């Protein structure tokens, strides 16, 4: 199933391939509830509401204390807990109805804390990033449904390669940073830094298109009902990445001004 390939670790080329025949309804032809597109959209909406609710809670702590220090424990707790539940969800897909909502709640705590740090320095940046993220989601979903963005094999390979390159760069940057080597031009607010962030935002956004394609294939193959939660989880992973990249891009633009 090469056409299912995507750079999102939650929605990859083996997402549906790894499901056994019994999970699809058994050899006897037993009828079970199947994954649907509307069901996946509804589950995605639920996860978004949960993430926004927990983010709003940490944001409220920030507003009350007028200090980002108040949200630091919740931010790191959310980051660590979110990572743990993400790994559980990826390796135990049938647990997604429980682990995906937990992931959304924990990531919301982390995003609320991260947003507070940015907001403290650049007032108004968080709501701008949220607006741009949702606008990108709905624009790309509409374009995909209208067939304006054909998901060809070359398109998939290009996005996967670009995402892999970005991941390798971020990993190298983190490791080299421990030795005092920093990419100031990439992380700065100059033309190179802003150009790099724009490219990353575009790649993150186009990963959403690959997510839509994988989910649609899963519906066509009659994946079990719990995969709606798993598909929604995969969309959330990409949306969180997109939001953070937009936040970083806006911060660079604010520094430039």
């Amino acid at each position: 199933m090469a056409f299912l390939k995507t750079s999102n670790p939650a929605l990859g080329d083996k997402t549906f391939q790894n499901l056994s025949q019994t999970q699809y309804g058994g050899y006897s032809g037993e009828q079970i509830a199947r994954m649907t597109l509307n069901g996946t959209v509804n589950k995605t909406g639920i996860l978004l509401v949960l993430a926004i609710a927990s983010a709003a809670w940490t944001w409220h702590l920030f507003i009350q204390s007028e200090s980002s220090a108040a949200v630091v424990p919740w931010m790191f707790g959310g980051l660590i807990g979110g990572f743990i539940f993400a790994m559980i969800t990826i390796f135990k897909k049938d647990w997604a109805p429980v682990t995906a909502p937990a992931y959304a709640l924990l990531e919301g705590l982390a995003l609320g804390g991260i947003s507070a740090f940015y907001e403290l320095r650049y007032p108004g940046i968080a709501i701008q990033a949220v607006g741009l993220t949702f606008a990108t989601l709905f624009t790309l979903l509409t374009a995909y449904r209208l067939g304006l963005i054909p998901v060809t094999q070359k398109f998939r390979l290009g996005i996967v390669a670009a995402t892999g390159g970005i991941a390798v760069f971020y990993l190298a940057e983190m490791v080299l940073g421990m030795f005092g080597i920093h990419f100031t031009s990439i992380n700065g607010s100059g033309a190179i830094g802003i150009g790099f962030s724009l490219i990353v935002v575009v790649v993150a956004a186009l990963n959403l298109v690959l997510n839509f394609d994988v989910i649609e294939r899963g519906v066509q193959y009659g994946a079990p009902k719990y995969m709606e939660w798993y598909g929604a989880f995969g969309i959330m992973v990409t949306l969180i990445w997109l939001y953070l990249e937009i936040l970083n891009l806006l911060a660079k633009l604010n520094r430039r001004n």
Side-chain angles (χ1 to χ4, degrees), residues 64-225:
Q64 276 191 325
S65 63
E66 297 183 348
S67 170
S68 55
V71 301
V72 168
W74 300 102
M75 182 181 71
F76 281 106
L79 286 171
I80 296 171
F83 176 78
I84 292 172
F85 274 93
M87 291 298 100
I88 294 173
T89 307
I90 290 171
F91 290 105
K92 296 291 292 184
K93 297 179 179 63
D94 54 327
W95 291 11
V98 174
T99 57
Y103 167 80
L105 285 168
L106 288 164
E107 284 298 316
L109 293 176
L111 291 177
I114 293 170
S115 299
F117 275 97
Y118 276 92
E119 186 72 17
L120 195 62
R121 187 168 183 181
Y122 310 110
I125 193 174
I127 190 63
Q128 294 174 15
V130 169
L132 286 171
T133 301
F134 278 104
T136 301
L137 170 64
F138 291 122
T139 299
L140 288 177
L141 179 58
T142 301
Y144 175 77
R145 297 303 296 169
L146 293 176
L148 300 178
I149 306 179
V151 185
T152 63
Q153 186 64 13
K154 288 184 178 180
F155 177 87
R156 295 185 188 96
L157 290 174
I159 299 304
V160 169
T163 307
I166 292 168
V168 169
F169 173 79
Y170 280 160
L171 179 61
E173 184 180 35
M174 182 177 65
V175 173
L176 292 174
M178 297 177 182
F179 299 95
I181 302 175
H182 303 285
F183 298 89
T184 54
S185 59
I186 294 294
N187 296 312
S189 56
I192 294 177
I194 291 175
F196 176 78
S197 288
L198 280 171
I199 292 172
V200 176
V201 166
V202 170
V203 172
L206 291 178
N207 267 274
L208 284 172
V209 177
L210 296 189
N211 296 164
F212 301 151
D213 182 60
V214 171
I215 289 170
E216 194 166 51
R217 298 291 183 178
V219 171
Q220 292 172 1
Y221 290 137
K225 193 71 173 176

